[in-house]
Amino acid sequence: MPPIVGLAVAGQDRAMRTALPGLGQQITFVYAEQPEASWHFYETVLQLPLVQDQGRCRIYAVAGGADAPRAFLGVCRARAPRAGDEPRAEGGVVITFVTPQVAECHALLKARGVEVGEAPAWSEAYGVEHFFFRDPAGYLLEVQRFGRGGWPEPADQA
């Protein structure tokens, strides 16, 4: 696999080139047997903007701003039940939202009734401050802040 060339990091050239021509957006799709609860969660609790309702699937903007969203989350009706509960096993998924305001997100989600557990914690192994919670379909969600260099800053925060 060819390396990603020219990935911008904080304080460096902001141009971003990838191994795939024209790549400028990304969508992660997850599946729920009863997506209505998940749709409500992402629209009402997390308040992600709905970009497109495709009937069996709804796509939300996650990052990049209202004028030019770059990252999206698609929540779709599942065709079959979940095969396992371990998100870190092959085929599993953890959806991570990156923000410098981890504690504020924790407090906001807790105030909205989300079971967020303990206060954000520091992971020495990964160099991140973070916390976890689950959506109605059981997906593991994480909010984190990178605490060491080398992670590219969003264009609007650089």
Side-chain angles (χ1 to χ4, degrees):
M1 175 185 276
I4 296 177
V5 179
L7 179 62
V9 293
Q12 294 183 2
D13 180 354
R14 296 302 304 166
M16 186 164 199
R17 296 175 299 279
T18 66
L20 299 173
L23 184 63
Q25 296 179 325
Q26 181 272 332
I27 304 173
T28 299
F29 287 96
V30 296
Y31 300 87
E33 289 184 67
Q34 297 178 353
E36 295 80 8
S38 295
W39 294 336
H40 174 79
F41 178 78
Y42 287 102
E43 291 170 24
T44 306
V45 178
L46 295 188
Q47 297 181 355
L48 296 180
L50 178 63
V51 175
Q52 193 169 95
D53 184 344
Q54 300 175 333
R56 296 180 54 85
C57 189
R58 292 185 183 178
I59 301 174
Y60 303 94
V62 176
D67 295 337
R70 298 185 54 113
F72 303 87
L73 178 65
V75 181
C76 307
R77 186 174 303 280
R79 295 180 184 162
R82 180 185 297 268
D85 289 331
E86 176 51 59
R88 294 182 184 104
E90 186 172 353
V93 64
V94 176
I95 300 167
T96 301
F97 302 102
V98 180
T99 176
Q101 299 171 305
V102 174
E104 292 88 339
C105 288
H106 185 272
L108 178 67
L109 292 172
K110 189 172 185 176
R112 291 181 181 167
V114 177
E115 293 182 31
V116 291
E118 300 292 322
W122 176 256
S123 168
E124 194 64 45
Y126 297 104
V128 299
E129 177 188 21
H130 66 135
F131 67 92
F132 294 98
F133 59 105
R134 290 194 181 267
D135 78 355
Y139 285 100
L140 187 62
L141 307 178
E142 176 186 31
V143 174
Q144 79 172 27
R145 171 188 65 82
F146 286 89
R148 58 180 170 210
W151 184 257
E153 292 288 331
D156 60 347
Q157 293 182 8

